[in-house]
Amino acid sequence: MPRRMILFLAMVVALLVLGVPLFAGGLKVELMEPWNGRRIPEGQQCRLFGGDGWTPPMQVGNIPPGTVWIVAHFNNKSYKPLSREGGLGQIAWPAKWPVTYLYPIPGMAGLPKWGAFVVRPARTLEGYASPGYLPPCSGGQRHKYSVDIMAVDENGEVLARRRNVKLGKY
C-alpha cells in the first residue's frame, strides 16, 4: 500500500478517535431508491440469508470546501461488536462538489468501483467475513442498520460529519 494512503488512513482513524471541529452547515445525506431508512430492501441482505447486497446509493450535499473524500462507516446498531466505527466496513468515495453521489459498492467484495476504496473491512469472521462492506446479515431479526458519513480533506482531517443515518431494519 502506498505510503500516502497509509498516512491518510492513520490520520482518519486518529481524528475519529480524538474528535475534530465540524463544518457548521452539516452534511446533508439522502438515501436513494430502493432504500428508505425503514426496512432493508429485499435482496440487499448478505448472501448467507439469500441476498446479494450492495451499499445503499446516497447523495451527500452541503460538502465543505477542501473535501477530497466522502467516507462511510456502516454499522449494525443492534449488535454491539459491529455497532460503531464501521463495524460492517468503511468505504471512501472521491468527493465531487456540490453534491457527491455514493455509487453502490458490492457487498462481501474488497474491490470497489468508481474510484472508491475500502478504508477498513468489516470486523466480521468466518462465514460472515468480508474484505469490504458486509450487507445486513442478522437473518431478519429486526436489527437496526445505520451509516456515519464524513467529509475528509487531503490530510485526513474530518471537515464535517453526519452520524446515524438510518438505513433500516432487517
Side-chain angles (χ1 to χ4, degrees):
M1 185 178 291
R3 180 170 159 52
R4 187 169 191 217
M5 183 66 67
I6 292 169
L7 289 172
F8 168 78
L9 297 175
M11 291 175 81
V12 168
V13 172
L15 289 169
L16 293 174
V17 171
L18 298 173
V20 295
L22 301 178
F23 178 59
L27 294 174
K28 296 189 186 311
V29 179
E30 179 183 346
L31 292 173
M32 308 301 290
E33 292 288 333
W35 295 76
N36 62 22
R38 293 185 298 279
R39 296 189 81 213
I40 301 301
E42 185 65 35
Q44 292 301 314
Q45 69 274 17
C46 70
R47 291 185 197 124
L48 291 167
F49 294 101
D52 190 22
W54 291 53
T55 61
M58 294 177 268
Q59 282 188 353
V60 180
N62 203 30
I63 298 167
T67 300
V68 176
W69 297 102
I70 300 295
V71 180
H73 288 192
F74 295 94
N75 301 300
N76 177 343
K77 301 305 275 186
S78 301
Y79 182 61
K80 191 170 183 174
L82 304 177
S83 66
R84 57 189 186 85
E85 298 176 9
L88 299 178
Q90 300 175 10
I91 309 291
W93 286 260
K96 306 233 188 304
W97 192 86
V99 174
T100 297
Y101 181 70
L102 306 185
Y103 293 93
I105 303 295
M108 304 195 76
L111 300 172
K113 298 178 181 179
W114 305 287
F117 69 93
V118 174
V119 175
R120 186 168 156 191
R123 296 189 306 266
T124 50
L125 303 170
E126 299 173 14
Y128 298 92
S130 174
Y133 166 70
L134 176 69
C137 211
S138 58
Q141 296 179 28
R142 303 204 36 87
H143 282 208
K144 296 175 186 176
Y145 293 87
S146 72
V147 63
D148 298 331
I149 303 290
M150 287 148 282
V152 179
D153 73 8
E154 66 183 9
N155 298 315
E157 181 178 343
V158 177
L159 303 174
R161 177 182 292 140
R162 172 94 185 274
R163 294 182 192 266
N164 295 316
V165 175
K166 293 179 183 178
L167 298 179
K169 292 182 180 178
Y170 170 67

